[in-house]
Amino acid sequence: MTVLDTRTLNRATLARQLLLDRADLPVRDAVAHLCGLQAQEPQEPFVGLWSRLRAFDAAALSDLLTGRRLVRTILMRRTVHLLTAEDALAWRARHDAMLRQRMLGTYRRELDGVDLDELAAAGRAVLADGEPRSMGDLGRAVAGRWPGAGARVLGEMLVAALIPMAQLPPRGLWRTKAGVRNAPLSSWLGREPDPPASNGSDPVGEALVRRYLAAYGPAASADLRAWCGLAGLPAAVAAVRPELVSFRDERGRELLDLPDAPRPDPDTPAPVRFLPAFDNAILGYHDRGRIIDDAHRGLSVAGARVVLVDGRVCATWTVEDGTVVVTPLGHLSGGDRDAVGEQGRELAAFLSDGDSQRVRIGDG
């Protein structure tokens, strides 16, 4: 079986994640290809798409949210994701059990004695008036029935697990600060989420395997599980395995992939890219060594924004008074500093509508 080294996997990831060459894709198509973008920090998807699309227009993303073609919802890994409306409706039921289990894993003691079906029914009754609500408002509205659980826990259980919800605009719009207002996904998007298959098959799981590999492969089953949070996908992997090709990584893990998906030459040049907090290209794997050194792995879960140099995380970045400030994690060559500076100026211009092109790079 062919062994794919770390650099080969890195270039495959960059290609699949639209980071090797910026893509000429509409915003909605890019979000669909990426299987959504993690979006608990509302402005971060704008940078993620700017780094991936050749002519990204931030207003287009905002328009898709207000037009209900994209939606912010809690799904993979019990985190907020920006997804197409179609994917949110198709995938939600497949994630229901995982969302409940993760919530119970955190709040089992507080929710002891709470019938979750009764809680869901109570929450739906409150939302029946069509008014969007914050998590706290929803929890307080039902707390009288379960005083021992606490309004915060009840609200979080309803929003994160029991009732498929959309986070409504203006949350998530370009340069807009707004609190979270939730409404049932069915009312916001005009129909109920797709029900699970009734014949014991798992078409959604099989679609997730194919879609994940298209955007992240080659990858191991553990990587797929780390991305979506679902433990019950072995049957789906087995069902689509005849369609796939297999490799090994340098640790001996089996990697699966779509046969015709891009696997560029490992010597393909990789341009500098600025990534937002919690970017797919890093968090989409259990083994993140293809893109970030183990010494820096904590950055990816701490919400640091990072810079890729030659395809790997080599710096972090922030914005201070309109200036993109880059902090190298090690030594950068003169050529790399120039490339980081050029891309940083472009990012500063994007973030400021052309008012600033300032970038400052610290010593490495």
Side-chain angles (χ1 to χ4, degrees):
M1 191 178 294
T2 301
V3 175
L4 303 180
D5 63 20
T6 298
R7 189 176 175 89
T8 299
L9 293 175
N10 174 268
R11 292 311 193 253
T13 292
L14 297 180
R16 311 292 174 90
Q17 285 288 306
L18 313 181
L19 293 167
L20 200 56
D21 294 297
R22 282 187 166 97
D24 290 313
L25 284 176
V27 170
R28 184 195 166 282
D29 292 354
V31 173
H33 168 75
L34 295 166
C35 305
L37 290 88
Q38 192 161 333
Q40 69 264 42
E41 297 294 336
Q43 296 296 298
E44 299 303 296
F46 290 92
V47 174
L49 290 168
W50 173 83
S51 289
R52 289 170 162 91
L53 300 181
R54 189 162 287 118
F56 175 62
D57 178 5
L61 174 50
S62 292
D63 289 346
L64 289 165
L65 277 166
T66 56
R68 311 189 190 196
R69 299 194 67 203
L70 296 180
V71 64
R72 294 169 50 82
T73 188
I74 296 174
L75 201 65
M76 284 82 79
R77 307 187 300 277
R78 208 189 78 187
T79 54
V80 178
H81 273 71
L82 175 72
L83 296 157
T84 67
E86 293 82 358
D87 284 345
L89 291 168
W91 295 352
R92 171 55 202 239
R94 188 63 179 81
H95 289 74
D96 280 353
M98 177 272 292
L99 294 171
R100 286 191 179 210
Q101 289 164 3
R102 291 201 173 198
M103 282 297 299
L104 288 173
T106 303
Y107 297 121
R108 190 173 299 277
R109 181 177 58 82
E110 291 88 341
L111 292 166
D112 183 41
V114 176
D115 184 298
L116 297 185
D117 291 336
E118 290 182 9
L119 175 57
R124 289 184 184 278
V126 172
L127 293 164
D129 62 5
E131 290 296 317
R133 286 174 170 80
S134 70
M135 186 181 292
D137 288 341
L138 188 56
R140 285 187 289 273
V142 300
R145 189 165 172 181
W146 296 280
R152 182 183 63 82
V153 172
L154 293 171
E156 187 174 347
M157 187 73 193
L158 286 166
V159 170
L162 297 184
I163 302 176
M165 293 283 202
Q167 291 190 358
L168 305 193
R171 181 87 170 168
L173 302 184
W174 180 231
R175 292 188 181 144
T176 300
K177 292 184 178 180
V180 178
R181 299 179 309 133
N182 302 284
L185 205 59
S186 56
S187 63
W188 182 245
L189 298 182
R191 69 175 176 88
E192 293 289 339
D194 297 342
S198 59
N199 60 359
S201 65
D202 189 10
V204 174
E206 294 169 21
L208 283 169
V209 173
R210 296 186 187 98
R211 294 276 299 276
Y212 173 77
L213 292 176
Y216 296 85
S221 294
D223 296 319
L224 169 66
R225 185 166 60 249
W227 166 70
C228 63
L230 299 174
L233 286 176
V237 171
V240 303
R241 183 179 282 273
E243 307 170 19
L244 307 178
V245 293
S246 299
F247 304 95
R248 296 279 180 192
D249 66 12
E250 292 176 305
R251 293 169 45 195
R253 299 189 314 160
E254 182 186 34
L255 306 177
L256 301 174
D257 205 5
L258 303 172
D260 298 324
R263 290 180 288 274
D265 187 291
D267 292 328
T268 303
V272 167
R273 292 287 185 255
F274 281 70
L275 299 186
F278 309 113
D279 192 84
N280 297 31
I282 300 174
L283 293 188
Y285 300 95
H286 172 71
D287 182 357
R288 299 169 186 163
R290 68 179 65 192
I291 198 166
I292 187 169
D293 294 344
D294 286 345
H296 306 311
R297 182 184 173 102
L299 295 172
S300 61
V301 294
R305 298 158 163 174
V306 300
V307 184
L308 302 183
V309 177
D310 193 28
R312 299 192 63 79
V313 173
C314 289
T316 61
W317 67 276
T318 58
V319 178
E320 298 177 7
D321 298 323
T323 299
V324 172
V325 179
V326 178
T327 303
L329 298 172
H331 174 71
L332 294 178
S333 69
D336 287 341
R337 290 178 71 90
D338 290 345
V340 169
E342 179 181 355
Q343 193 68 196
R345 285 187 288 275
E346 292 184 17
L347 176 59
F350 167 71
L351 294 173
S352 67
D353 275 343
D355 289 342
S356 170
Q357 292 188 340
R358 297 188 301 274
V359 61
R360 184 170 73 247
I361 305 174
D363 296 328

